[in-house]
Amino acid sequence: MFQKIILLALIFFIASCSSQQIKPNIIVILADDLGYADVGFNGSKEIPTPNIDRIAEEGVVFTDGYVTYSVCGPSRAGLITGRYQNRFGYATNPIIAPDDPNMGLPLTERTLATELKTAGYTNSIIGKWHLGTHESLWPDKRGFDHFFGFLSGGHRYFPEEYILNDLSEVKKDWDWYQTKLLKNNQPVEETQYLTDALSREAVAFIDKNQENPFFLYLAYNAPHGPLQATEAYLSRFDHIKNTKRRTYAAMVSAMDDGIGTVLDKLKELNIDENTLVVFLSDNGGPERHNASDNGLLREGKGSMFEGGIRVPFAMKWPDRIAAGTTFSKPVMSFDIFATVCANIGLVPQNKIDGVDLIPFLDGTKSDQPHNALFWVDMGDNHFGTRMSGLKIVKEKNTEFALFDIENDISELLTVDDSIGLKRIFGEYQAWRDSLPDPQFLGLEDRKTYKQIQQSKPEGYDLIWADEFNYGEKPSAKKWKFEQGFVRNQELQWYTSDNAKIENGLLIIEAKQESVVNKNYVPKDRDWRKNRPEADYTSSCIKSRDQFSFQYGIIEVKAKIDTSMGLWPAIWLLGSERKWPACGEIDMMEFYRHEGDAKILANTAFSLEEGSKPVWNSTKILLSQFLAEDPNWADKFHVWKMNWTKDVIELYIDNQLVTTTMLNDKTNSDGFNSFRQPHYILLNLAIGQHGGDPKNTSFPRTFEVDYVRVFQKAS
Ligand code: CA
């Protein structure tokens, strides 16, 4: 009996020891902008990568390994959260904005480090962060115990160029490539070539944490530009005559050396067998920029063709993955998150999109890890979906098409299969419809971002905006188009064809062209029906059902055409009740009133439902503006409304023109037209108040630079 107890105790002791040891160490090595064909395991002869190849040889090569986006920031957000970054609106690279807590990975998201911390892991990121520069978004707030590297989207490689202490000293774009490196948030004096420094720190971290399970996220900057390499690495590639390619090769080689030291350290410490090491690039190679080579893959970084999203991808874990494995079903970078969590018994808090790959690698499962994989940018400018061997792609300069990716890796031949295309597009649309709007307005350009920051009223937050700096058409997530004849017996037929986005502007175009009225009923009493055709076309977009707001400041920068016959407007309507009881706010109207061209700013409502509108209207002669500035009509102006529960104030270029008090606008049933959410309309009408357009040449345009809505910060 006693022996039995000892035996049981011994078994229990061993079991508890092994459960301690069973937690694998995790090392995710991320290259930056590395070409698909620039590693030995994908066939590179020109650039030997013997160490990166060790990961492949001792484990698995994913021939069809993808990242969630074709540029750095969103790709990293997907990798580190295990989710499509589109699920939290992370659709572009965040802007380097150290003062902005919203410009980065939202705090609703949990990183792999956050999850692993709950399982007792020590976590380190070494290298590039690029998931937010505000202090609240730094790695130490996102589950990492240790950080050595830099916060921005790239960096220079030679320490003598690190001339700024930190991001607060950045004066102009790209200066952030020249900050000192950070070690646990403190600037440090570095002496080594960047890639060597990152490898050195990685080895030191492993050495120090060998006793406990650790997670090392080694995010090399290499071979992202600027192309900089030391003589020692360059001298290995004397045979490459192209200087750019030679430098690139040297940078890859430096990274490969570093990875070798990391792998050697694992062997030396005897923790190699139970360490999961994964290697991949954050996106495809930008071939023209850094002389990378994506091999047979079409296009590169930034594209939804394979060259942008299919990356060198290998993983080893000797305890669990057989050496020399090749896996050719599509996998995604976010599967790393899922694989890690599943194999240490962690249930992630957020819903993840990744799947545990181990059962697919050890033969437990034989189907596809993913039914479909999706990619999309924020403006729906380009997207892709892969289902098994087929893929649909819409790229900026190509027609939407279907490819047989298994037999046509270069996506050269479009497959004529409208049913297949429709089926995959249907999957894509269902996924796309489930996504929220992009955060940080989908802004990639710092100039616009700065302008918004400067235009933000003190104490207010930006809650909604359209900068019209994406795509070709106004976003369907923000706007709807009116169709046909709509109101005021105007002459134009509204259609979605007459609005486009160009050079950062919404352009609504009024055209003289005949359109058959498909609702035509001769002699019908409704003017919308009794006209056989329209002689003009134009567009009206409205945010109805997509966005409405109650109180705040709205600014619209626009340029109007003051030609005879035109009636452009920036206005709002209340969501509840019929016009005019719903309330109407005209931030800008331009039309002919008593024969004169005037700019108007009005409110209208009715005290009882069904009764006539009560107008509060300011009409200013266009000639008054022209007297002050003869070119007034050729310029952009800012129309603004300041709306509180007590008052509506309408401004033109910061001059107050109309004030409407709201206290006395409450109906007998307690309803107040202006104390309910309103939605926005932008349109260019023709005829009616606009006057007779017959002597005006067409087309004519109404151009909108932006719409921004601010509300008091909560
Ligand atoms: Ca990149």
Side-chain angles (χ1 to χ4, degrees):
M1 184 64 189
F2 181 66
Q3 280 175 327
K4 225 174 175 178
I5 289 170
I6 287 186
L7 191 67
L8 277 172
L10 198 66
I11 289 168
F12 180 73
F13 176 73
I14 291 167
S16 62
C17 280
S18 60
S19 78
Q20 288 279 311
Q21 288 161 354
I22 212 159
K23 278 181 191 162
N25 303 303
I26 314 294
I27 302 181
V28 175
I29 305 173
L30 192 65
D32 199 333
D33 290 5
L34 178 66
Y36 183 79
D38 288 326
V39 289
F41 70 78
N42 278 351
S44 174
K45 297 274 185 295
E46 200 171 33
I47 309 172
T49 55
N51 295 298
I52 296 170
D53 294 349
R54 275 159 69 186
I55 300 170
E57 284 153 15
E58 295 171 18
V60 56
V61 173
F62 298 105
T63 60
D64 295 37
Y66 292 96
V67 285
T68 56
Y69 199 70
S70 56
V71 302
C72 309
S75 169
R76 282 153 205 266
L79 169 78
I80 207 73
T81 60
R83 286 149 63 77
Y84 284 111
Q85 67 284 351
N86 313 82
R87 292 202 190 281
F88 43 91
Y90 205 103
T92 62
N93 276 331
I95 284 161
I96 308 300
D99 298 327
D100 189 342
N102 296 315
M103 196 53 84
L105 187 70
L107 294 173
T108 51
E109 299 310 307
R110 291 167 67 85
T111 70
L112 182 55
T114 316
E115 293 295 351
L116 287 172
K117 216 167 160 58
T118 66
Y121 276 70
T122 304
N123 306 317
S124 173
I125 166 171
I126 293 172
K128 164 165 151 179
W129 176 239
H130 208 198
L131 292 169
T133 50
H134 186 269
E135 220 173 323
S136 65
L137 303 168
W138 288 6
D140 63 315
K141 317 294 190 306
R142 314 312 302 266
F144 288 96
D145 305 286
H146 172 260
F147 168 38
F148 179 88
F150 52 93
L151 297 161
S152 65
H155 212 273
R156 291 178 167 269
Y157 291 82
F158 295 123
E160 54 271 29
E161 296 179 29
Y162 307 167
I163 52 173
L164 302 180
N165 273 308
D166 55 46
L167 291 171
S168 69
E169 295 180 10
V170 167
K171 293 275 186 297
K172 59 181 196 303
D173 287 4
W174 309 111
D175 273 0
W176 46 77
Y177 277 34
Q178 295 190 267
T179 57
K180 287 191 167 44
L181 299 182
L182 295 173
K183 186 164 198 168
N184 298 325
N185 302 349
Q186 296 305 315
V188 289
E189 294 300 331
E190 181 53 58
T191 56
Q192 278 187 290
Y193 177 63
L194 179 60
T195 303
D196 296 345
L198 300 180
S199 304
R200 176 198 72 216
E201 293 294 318
V203 169
F205 171 79
I206 296 168
D207 226 350
K208 197 173 162 199
N209 293 281
Q210 55 180 291
E211 303 291 339
N212 295 310
F214 63 79
F215 166 40
L216 168 61
Y217 174 33
L218 176 53
Y220 281 107
N221 194 46
H224 189 291
L227 292 175
Q228 295 181 312
T230 60
E231 228 11 84
Y233 295 115
L234 284 165
S235 65
R236 294 177 184 177
F237 298 96
D238 284 341
H239 58 286
I240 301 180
K241 292 293 160 250
N242 179 307
T243 330
K244 249 173 125 173
R245 178 71 178 165
R246 182 168 170 242
T247 312
Y248 171 86
M251 292 166 78
V252 174
S253 199
M255 177 170 67
D256 186 72
D257 273 20
I259 292 169
T261 62
V262 167
L263 299 177
D264 288 347
K265 180 51 77 175
L266 298 177
K267 285 244 161 52
E268 178 201 318
L269 298 175
N270 213 13
I271 54 174
D272 171 64
E273 300 286 309
N274 195 31
T275 298
L276 185 161
V277 182
V278 54
F279 174 85
L280 73 168
S281 178
D282 68 337
N283 48 253
E287 293 177 324
R288 278 188 301 275
H289 289 284
N290 69 353
S292 52
D293 180 7
N294 297 318
L296 290 174
L297 306 185
R298 182 168 173 179
E299 299 194 355
K301 180 177 182 176
S303 172
M304 300 310 186
F305 284 114
E306 296 286 289
I309 51 179
R310 196 196 287 208
V311 294
F313 200 151
M315 178 160 83
K316 80 181 188 90
W317 184 7
D319 273 356
R320 302 295 304 276
I321 300 170
T325 307
T326 299
F327 191 80
S328 55
K329 287 169 184 158
V331 301
M332 190 80 111
S333 56
F334 52 41
D335 294 333
I336 297 165
F337 189 112
T339 302
V340 167
C341 288
N343 286 280
I344 60 171
L346 259 180
V347 180
Q349 213 161 297
N350 284 337
K351 189 190 169 302
I352 59 170
D353 291 298
V355 299
D356 176 11
L357 294 175
I358 297 297
F360 295 93
L361 299 176
D362 67 14
T364 316
K365 290 185 180 172
S366 59
D367 52 340
Q368 303 264 351
H370 300 276
N371 171 45
L373 292 174
F374 307 104
W375 301 267
V376 64
D377 76 327
M378 59 86 49
D380 295 307
N381 238 346
H382 55 162
F383 58 85
T385 299
R386 178 164 176 185
M387 292 183 75
S388 195
L390 294 174
K391 183 181 165 200
I392 53 166
V393 187
K394 169 72 185 83
E395 251 311 321
K396 286 168 201 160
N397 300 315
T398 66
E399 290 296 313
F400 174 44
L402 178 70
F403 297 95
D404 174 0
I405 210 74
E406 254 162 24
N407 298 303
D408 175 23
I409 193 175
S410 302
E411 294 164 287
L412 294 174
L413 305 165
T414 59
V415 178
D416 190 13
D417 170 8
S418 58
I419 296 168
L421 187 135
K422 234 175 157 174
R423 179 177 60 92
I424 301 175
F425 186 58
E427 289 279 334
Y428 164 75
Q429 274 186 316
W431 174 78
R432 179 72 184 86
D433 288 346
S434 73
L435 303 175
D437 270 347
Q439 58 169 10
F440 24 92
L441 309 170
L443 283 181
E444 274 182 278
D445 90 275
R446 226 168 107 79
K447 208 174 117 207
T448 313
Y449 175 76
K450 273 186 176 166
Q451 285 168 0
I452 294 177
Q453 293 307 106
Q454 280 159 9
S455 78
K456 197 164 83 174
E458 182 83 29
Y460 282 74
D461 284 337
L462 183 73
I463 61 154
W464 190 88
D466 201 336
E467 299 289 325
F468 303 111
N469 58 0
Y470 54 84
E472 291 151 13
K473 301 291 283 180
S475 166
K477 292 247 158 193
K478 290 182 168 154
W479 305 101
K480 278 185 179 172
F481 282 94
E482 290 193 338
Q483 297 291 341
F485 290 130
V486 180
R487 64 178 70 79
N488 302 330
Q489 303 207 25
E490 292 154 6
L491 299 178
Q492 81 288 335
W493 183 266
Y494 278 138
T495 141
S496 61
D497 296 340
N498 293 39
K500 62 182 175 187
I501 291 176
E502 223 170 65
N503 302 322
L505 301 173
L506 165 71
I507 299 175
I508 298 179
E509 211 170 10
K511 294 182 189 166
Q512 188 169 21
E513 58 184 348
S514 288
V515 179
V516 172
N517 182 2
K518 54 180 185 262
N519 307 317
Y520 178 53
V521 181
K523 295 184 180 150
D524 195 281
R525 286 171 63 182
D526 185 347
W527 69 273
R528 295 173 185 85
K529 293 182 181 165
N530 65 26
R531 294 179 180 178
E533 57 176 37
D535 297 327
Y536 298 89
T537 57
S538 186
S539 282
C540 174
I541 61 170
K542 54 185 181 183
S543 70
R544 186 170 196 168
D545 301 333
Q546 322 278 36
F547 173 72
S548 58
F549 70 104
Q550 182 174 355
Y551 311 139
I553 291 174
I554 168 170
E555 286 186 3
V556 181
K557 186 173 178 183
K559 187 167 91 177
I560 58 171
D561 187 321
T562 56
S563 301
M564 182 58 129
L566 300 182
W567 181 3
I570 301 166
W571 52 307
L572 300 97
L573 286 172
S575 305
E576 298 291 322
R577 300 205 178 179
K578 282 194 175 141
W579 191 86
C582 62
E584 172 179 332
I585 305 165
D586 305 315
M587 294 171 62
M588 184 281 291
E589 284 192 278
F590 167 79
Y591 61 70
R592 314 274 146 175
H593 174 255
E594 294 170 351
D596 294 319
K598 287 177 188 171
I599 307 277
L600 296 89
N602 326 305
T603 57
F605 80 112
S606 70
L607 256 181
E608 300 305 329
E609 246 188 318
S611 62
K612 291 208 154 145
V614 181
W615 288 91
N616 176 26
S617 188
T618 306
K619 306 178 182 74
I620 307 169
L621 285 165
L622 175 66
S623 56
Q624 257 179 272
F625 292 99
L626 296 176
E628 278 181 37
D629 178 359
N631 299 317
W632 190 91
D634 303 323
K635 291 179 177 170
F636 280 88
H637 300 279
V638 177
W639 279 273
K640 180 173 95 173
M641 165 167 68
N642 177 31
W643 178 19
T644 70
K645 73 178 191 10
D646 300 315
V647 69
I648 287 174
E649 294 170 329
L650 302 176
Y651 297 80
I652 302 174
D653 291 329
N654 277 323
Q655 293 292 315
L656 179 63
V657 290
T658 305
T659 302
T660 303
M661 301 309 293
L662 307 186
N663 292 336
D664 57 355
K665 308 282 186 293
T666 304
N667 297 3
S668 55
D669 65 358
F671 180 79
N672 187 314
S673 314
F674 301 113
R675 288 178 180 164
Q676 67 156 335
H678 280 231
Y679 60 89
I680 306 159
L681 300 96
L682 305 169
N683 69 294
L684 176 53
I686 302 159
Q688 245 282 351
H689 286 348
D692 188 347
K694 72 172 187 293
N695 294 324
T696 300
S697 65
F698 282 84
R700 296 277 153 186
T701 59
F702 171 35
E703 299 178 14
V704 183
D705 189 1
Y706 59 73
V707 180
R708 296 173 186 162
V709 180
F710 305 94
Q711 273 182 339
K712 279 224 168 80
S714 47

